[in-house]
Amino acid sequence: MSSNLVLFVCGAITFLFVFGWFKAAAIAVFKLELSKSSTDGVWKKLLQVFFVDLIICISGVIGTGIIFVSIFNSFH
């Protein structure tokens, strides 16, 4: 395994950890909002959130991995 691949994976894991922490807080807020309002249209909203989160995760993993490798290569 090359050092660039290891750093890319490290960057990807870092992003997923931070994004997961953020999503845990967002879920807590969503549960409070859901308990205060009606449940009409909840599944549509959750599906939209899922696709937005999927796009963020894909671009964030790739972007953070590239940033880690770029920083390593610039100082190496």
Side-chain angles (χ1 to χ4, degrees), residues 14-31:
T14 301
F15 175 80
L16 289 175
F17 176 75
V18 171
F19 189 73
W21 194 16
F22 167 76
K23 285 307 291 181
I27 288 171
V29 170
F30 181 72
K31 283 182 183 178

Side-chain angles (χ1 to χ4, degrees), residues 10-73:
C10 182
I13 290 171
T14 301
F15 175 80
L16 289 175
F17 176 75
V18 171
F19 189 73
W21 194 16
F22 167 76
K23 285 307 291 181
I27 288 171
V29 170
F30 181 72
K31 283 182 183 178
L32 287 175
E33 180 183 321
L34 187 60
S35 66
K36 293 178 183 176
S37 65
S38 67
T39 58
D40 297 335
V42 171
W43 287 109
K44 183 179 177 183
K45 186 175 182 179
L46 285 174
L47 190 60
Q48 290 172 345
V49 169
F50 169 75
F51 284 120
V52 169
D53 287 347
L54 182 64
I55 292 169
I56 290 171
C57 281
I58 290 170
S59 60
V61 163
I62 292 171
T64 308
I66 290 171
I67 289 171
F68 273 46
V69 171
S70 298
I71 290 172
F72 173 74
N73 286 337

